Amino acid sequence: MLESITTIIEALPYILEGSLVTVATVFGAMALGLLLGVPMSVAQVYGALPVRLVVGVYVWFFRGMPILVLLLLFYFGLFQLIGLNLSAFTASCLVLGMTSAAYQSQIFRGAILALPQGQLRAARALGMSDGTAIRSIVLPQALRLSIPGWSNEYSILLKDSALAFVLGTPEIMARTHFVASRTYEHLPLYMTAGALYFVITLIGLKVLRRLEHKLHIPGYASHGPL
C-alpha cells in the first residue's frame, strides 16, 4: 500500500502534465468542431439538395466510424498520402475535431429546427436577406439552445481523447500507461488517471452549466440546480 502511494506521488506531476495536453486536445477539437459544425448545420437546414447530400455523407462517415479507426486511418494513412507530416498532437486535434463537427452539426441542426419558423419569415418581411436573418436572428438563439447538447459532446470528446495515446500523444492515458508499464503499479495509477478525467469532466460541465443558465432563453430551456 505504501509503495503504491509513493508511486502515485512520484508519478503525479508527470501525469498532471498530461492533463494539460488532454485539455488542449479537447479544446482544440471542440473549437474545430464548432467552426465546422455551425455552417454544416445551416447547410443541412437551409442548403440546396447537393449541399445537404455532401454534408450528410460527411456526417454519416464520421458518425459511423470508430474514433480509434479514424485516428489510425488519418494519421498513418490519409495525412501522409496528401503530404501532411503532422505531430501526434495536431493529428489528434484534427481527427477528433472533424469527428466532433459531425456530432455538433446535429446538435446545432436540432436547435435551429426548434426555433419558430415564423421568425425567419418575419425577418424576410422586414427586408432582411436570408443570410442576414440566419446570422443575426437564427444562429444566436440556436447556439444558446445548443449548450446542453454541447455539454454532452464535451464529456464524450474528453473520454474519446484518451484514444489519442495510440498515436503517441502525451496525454493522461499515454503517460499513465508509460509509468504503469515500468512500475507494475497498474491499479493505483489507472485509478489516478480515472480520477483526473472525472475532475476535468466535472469542472467543464460546471462551467457549461453556468453558461447555460446565464444565456438561457425564457420559454425554451429547463433549468435545474447549478
Side-chain angles (χ1 to χ4, degrees), residues 5-21:
I5 295 175
T6 303
T7 302
I8 292 174
I9 293 174
E10 290 177 350
L12 196 54
Y14 179 70
I15 297 175
L16 282 175
E17 286 181 23
S19 67
L20 298 178
V21 178

Side-chain angles (χ1 to χ4, degrees), residues 16-17 25 48 65 73 79 87-88 90 92 98 115 137 144 151 156 160 174 183 213 218 221 225:
L16 282 175
E17 286 181 23
T25 303
M65 296 281 276
L73 175 66
F79 286 153
S87 67
T90 304
S92 300
M98 289 188 292
L115 295 172
I137 295 176
R144 292 162 71 181
S151 301
I156 292 173
D160 287 344
T183 61
H213 274 252

Side-chain angles (χ1 to χ4, degrees), residues 9-87:
I9 293 174
E10 290 177 350
L12 196 54
Y14 179 70
I15 297 175
L16 282 175
E17 286 181 23
S19 67
L20 298 178
V21 178
T22 293
V23 170
T25 303
V26 171
F27 273 70
M30 287 290 286
L32 179 60
L34 177 66
L35 195 65
L36 297 176
V38 170
M40 286 167 57
S41 65
V42 173
Q44 280 201 305
V45 176
Y46 301 110
L49 180 59
V51 178
R52 295 202 305 270
L53 287 176
V54 170
V55 175
V57 170
Y58 178 97
V59 172
W60 167 78
F61 176 77
F62 280 96
R63 292 177 74 187
M65 296 281 276
I67 293 288
L68 184 58
V69 174
L70 289 170
L71 286 167
L72 297 173
L73 175 66
F74 276 84
Y75 186 62
F76 295 108
L78 295 178
F79 286 153
Q80 294 183 9
L81 187 66
I82 59 177
L84 285 178
N85 186 21
L86 303 176
S87 67

Side-chain angles (χ1 to χ4, degrees), residues 46 111-130 132-134 136-142 144-145 217-218 220:
Y46 301 110
I112 291 172
L113 293 175
L115 295 172
Q117 295 301 307
Q119 291 189 9
L120 194 58
R121 289 195 292 269
R124 288 169 178 158
L126 291 173
M128 288 187 184
S129 66
D130 283 355
T132 302
I134 292 170
S136 304
I137 295 176
V138 174
L139 282 183
Q141 298 180 80
R144 292 162 71 181
L145 291 177
I217 302 174
Y220 282 98

Side-chain angles (χ1 to χ4, degrees), residues 85-168:
N85 186 21
L86 303 176
S87 67
F89 170 76
T90 304
S92 300
C93 287
L94 282 177
V95 175
L96 289 171
M98 289 188 292
T99 304
S100 181
Y103 288 96
Q104 289 193 49
S105 69
Q106 300 312 294
I107 295 171
F108 300 137
R109 184 175 70 91
I112 291 172
L113 293 175
L115 295 172
Q117 295 301 307
Q119 291 189 9
L120 194 58
R121 289 195 292 269
R124 288 169 178 158
L126 291 173
M128 288 187 184
S129 66
D130 283 355
T132 302
I134 292 170
R135 188 171 56 253
S136 304
I137 295 176
V138 174
L139 282 183
Q141 298 180 80
L143 290 173
R144 292 162 71 181
L145 291 177
S146 300
I147 295 175
W150 218 53
S151 301
N152 192 44
E153 174 61 13
Y154 163 78
S155 61
I156 292 173
L157 191 55
L158 176 61
K159 288 179 281 189
D160 287 344
S161 71
L163 293 173
F165 95 99
V166 299
L167 304 186

